[in-house]
Amino acid sequence: MKWLVTGGAGFIGSNFVFYMLDKYPEDQIICLDKLTYAGNLETLEGVMENPGFTFVKGDIADREAVYALFEKERPDIVVNFAAESHVDRSVVDPGIFLQTNILGTGVLMDACRKYGIQRYHQVSTDEVYGDLPLDRPDLFFTEETPIHTSSPYSASKASADLLVQAYHRTFGLPVSISRCSNNYGPYHFPEKLIPLMIANALNDKPLPVYGTGENVRDWLYVTDHCAAIDLIVRKGRVGEVYNIGGHNERTNLQVVKTILKALDKPESLIRFVTDRPGHDMRYAIDPTKIHEELGWLPETPFDEGIQKTIRWYLNNKPWWEHIISGDYQNYYEKMYGNR
Ligand code: NAD
Ligand code: DAU
């Protein structure tokens, strides 16, 4: 089986590459990644020499390059992780979110139609459902919850989902979509809440909590997300959406205090800062469909996963220090400059 994994130099995509190479050593994985600020080849260092793995630098929105790659490699399965993924950046500069997340998805699906594939899988997000009120803990996102987006990021992801469903209905493209809650774990870029707070706490820098810190996120350990995608692609029904999440709701303040406690740092490092515009209050996934249809259940409870993640950041300081210093962006030149 030949897989095209886009965005594989990012957080979840790289974890998916590791998961798949480990579980299916006979499969071939081609990773297409533009290496934006969020793409980091240092992350993939350990698999670059693996005969089952090929890295290709390129943009999913570059039609010519994508068609050429499909012509050459003829992938059986495409899993699209490539995206601009940070909500705060979408508030400052929405354009690139529309370009990559919507138009890039369109180009990939056109390539799938032209060259033929067994499955196109779109990695989407629970943010397409908007948010839930804090005073209704009985409410959860199901696959039937209406799309109701808040940020340019979530609007671009929802637009891509609609496009994917349209390509299924109009052209019969064999697609599936997964909508996952917040991930955490190794190789998470330190602009996102958990890695940012770990890095700042370790450097005794203030921990910026937006608004009151009461917003709730439903945290999922990244490997549980990877296992769910693998299952959906192999056994999930074509044309379907599957929500992924494991009932691990925490307020941001709870998460930040857990990190400080684990690192033995004082809560006086917490700084309440101006809220994110349009900030979603609560995300919470109902994973009944993926559990009942595919038997998926998360393996890592939050209290275990967060300690594992903190240990990973303690043991892999050079990885995130290179990001903070900007050094990681020279890695491609170092690796490929003279090739
Ligand atoms: P990330 O920002 O860490 O990684 C994105 C990767 O995509 C990077 O390697 C980047 O270089 C690459 N990329 C960006 N634009 C590209 C382009 N035009 N062409 C090719 N590559 C490009 O993101 P992530 O957190 O790993 O998220 C991966 C996917 O999962 C995204 O689609 C995101 O919407 C979705 N998702 C993320 C979460 C989460 O909690 N992080 C939860 C649910 C869904
Ligand atoms: O729910 C899935 C989504 O989760 C994904 O689709 C996105 O790609 C991913 O980035 C994530 O979005 P969030 O906006 O929830 O993640 P972020 O880590 O940016 O923020 C988590 C919460 O923490 C959110 O309520 C905002 C808050 N926050 C974040 C940062 C970076 C802070 O309070 N301070 C911060 O410095």
Side-chain angles (χ1 to χ4, degrees), residues 12 84-88 124-128 141 153-154 157 180-183 188 190-197 200 207-211 213-219 252-253 256 273 275-276 279-281 283:
I12 309 173
E84 288 294 331
S85 70
H86 194 36
V87 174
D88 292 319
S124 186
T125 166
D126 62 355
E127 295 204 16
V128 301
F141 296 139
Y153 163 70
S154 56
K157 293 294 290 184
C180 191
S181 60
N182 286 63
N183 284 217
H188 202 180
E191 66 182 348
K192 306 283 169 63
L193 180 78
I194 288 181
L196 179 79
M197 297 297 160
N200 281 16
L207 272 52
V209 173
Y210 298 164
E214 285 166 321
N215 307 63
V216 170
R217 296 295 183 263
D218 184 357
W219 294 99
N252 293 339
L253 212 46
V256 170
V273 300
D275 210 351
R276 170 187 281 172
H279 197 172
D280 283 336
M281 276 323 294
Y283 302 147

